[in-house]
């Protein structure tokens, strides 16, 4: 897969910025990408602003590099849905809010935490190559290796492109055996 990186290196990008409250009525994940970063992409009259955020109509950007405390604020899963529908598969940040981090993983997307100075180096030199090895929980960027900090369960979900329910059903036999014991 070819990865194209969008640099949006700001700290404390909260879920209100990622998807404003007026777009939370939708219960489907589909179509939320058009509302991602809405207030940064459109003026008060709904006209597009000149920003890199409006250059993703064909979902060419699939990696987001950002700053500290990404996804803070209210715990809306719509934020992860909007970013995934917008086209991102990987978000690289120096830290994430706990809830957003879990929501991103729940959508089988990869969060990568690296030090802020490393982020600044990546932005300065540009990312020329990204290789993902989920078996080893590693991402190699420009020949430098970073660990993906995820549980074995999350690793399996990412590798097999399954959700937590599908993962749980893998243990149906063991669950039934346990139920017979009690």
């Amino acid at each position: 897969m070819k990865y194209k990186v969008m640099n949006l290196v700001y700290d404390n990008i909260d879920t209100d910025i990622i998807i404003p409250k007026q777009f939370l009525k939708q219960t489907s994940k589909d179509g939320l990408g058009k509302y991602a970063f809405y207030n940064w992409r459109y003026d008060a009259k709904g006209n597009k602003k000149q920003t890199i955020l409006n250059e993703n109509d064909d979902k060419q950007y699939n990696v987001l590099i950002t700053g500290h405390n990404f996804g803070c604020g209210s715990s809306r899963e719509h934020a992860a849905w909007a970013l995934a529908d917008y086209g991102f598969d990987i978000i690289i940040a120096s830290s994430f809010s706990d809830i957003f981090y879990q929501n991103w993983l729940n959508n089988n997307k990869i969060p990568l935490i690296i030090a802020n100075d490393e982020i600044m180096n990546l932005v300065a030199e540009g990312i020329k190559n990204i290789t993902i090895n989920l078996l080893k929980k590693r991402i190699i960027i420009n020949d430098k290796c970073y660990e993906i900090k995820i549980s074995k369960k999350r690793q399996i979900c990412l590798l097999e492109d399954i959700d937590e329910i599908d993962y749980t059903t893998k243990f149906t036999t063991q669950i039934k055996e346990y139920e017979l014991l009690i």
Side-chain angles (χ1 to χ4, degrees):
M1 175 178 215
K2 181 87 170 137
Y3 295 99
K4 187 158 181 191
V5 178
M6 180 184 292
N7 297 318
L8 200 61
V9 185
Y10 298 102
D11 292 340
N12 303 310
I13 296 178
D14 67 33
T15 54
D16 293 324
I17 291 169
I18 297 169
I19 185 164
K21 66 184 177 304
Q22 66 265 31
F23 304 115
L24 299 180
K25 296 174 188 154
Q26 184 172 325
T27 56
S28 169
K29 297 177 185 183
D30 298 329
L32 284 176
K34 63 187 169 199
Y35 305 123
F37 300 110
Y38 189 86
N39 293 328
W40 286 4
R41 294 171 58 206
Y42 300 95
D43 65 22
K45 294 180 181 179
N47 300 312
K48 281 187 174 183
K49 296 177 182 178
Q50 285 292 108
T51 173
I52 191 171
L53 290 164
N54 281 325
E55 297 175 11
N56 207 37
D57 291 339
D58 60 356
K59 297 185 180 184
Q60 63 184 359
Y61 291 99
N62 45 15
V63 177
L64 174 65
I65 296 183
T66 188
H68 174 74
N69 199 26
F70 186 81
C72 59
S74 60
S75 59
R76 51 179 77 151
E77 191 166 12
H78 286 72
W81 293 351
L83 292 172
D85 190 59
Y86 183 79
F88 293 123
D89 295 313
I90 302 168
I91 299 177
I92 301 170
S94 57
S95 67
F96 293 87
S97 80
D98 291 338
I99 293 172
F100 180 85
Y101 186 87
Q102 290 305 315
N103 285 340
W104 193 241
L105 281 169
N106 286 341
N107 284 277
N108 279 347
K109 302 298 182 182
I110 299 172
L112 178 62
I113 299 170
I114 64 174
N116 195 55
D117 60 330
E118 289 283 332
I119 287 174
M120 299 318 259
N121 288 340
L122 288 174
V123 170
E125 69 186 37
I127 292 181
K128 294 152 189 79
N129 188 15
I130 296 177
T131 304
I132 300 172
N133 185 331
L134 288 173
L135 287 174
K136 293 185 178 181
K137 298 186 191 178
R138 301 275 189 258
I139 291 183
I140 300 167
I141 304 173
N142 297 350
D143 299 324
K144 184 158 184 185
C145 189
Y146 300 94
E147 179 184 0
I148 304 170
K149 295 175 181 152
I150 54 172
S151 67
K152 183 70 174 171
K153 177 183 85 170
R154 290 290 183 196
Q155 180 186 28
I156 291 168
C157 288
L158 285 166
L159 283 167
E160 298 180 15
D161 195 25
I162 59 175
D163 63 18
E164 289 183 317
I165 294 170
D166 293 328
Y167 179 82
T168 302
T169 61
K170 291 174 156 287
F171 302 99
T172 303
T173 302
Q174 293 93 323
I175 292 168
K176 286 181 180 178
E177 288 172 0
Y178 176 79
E179 288 175 342
L180 290 173
L181 293 175
I182 54 174

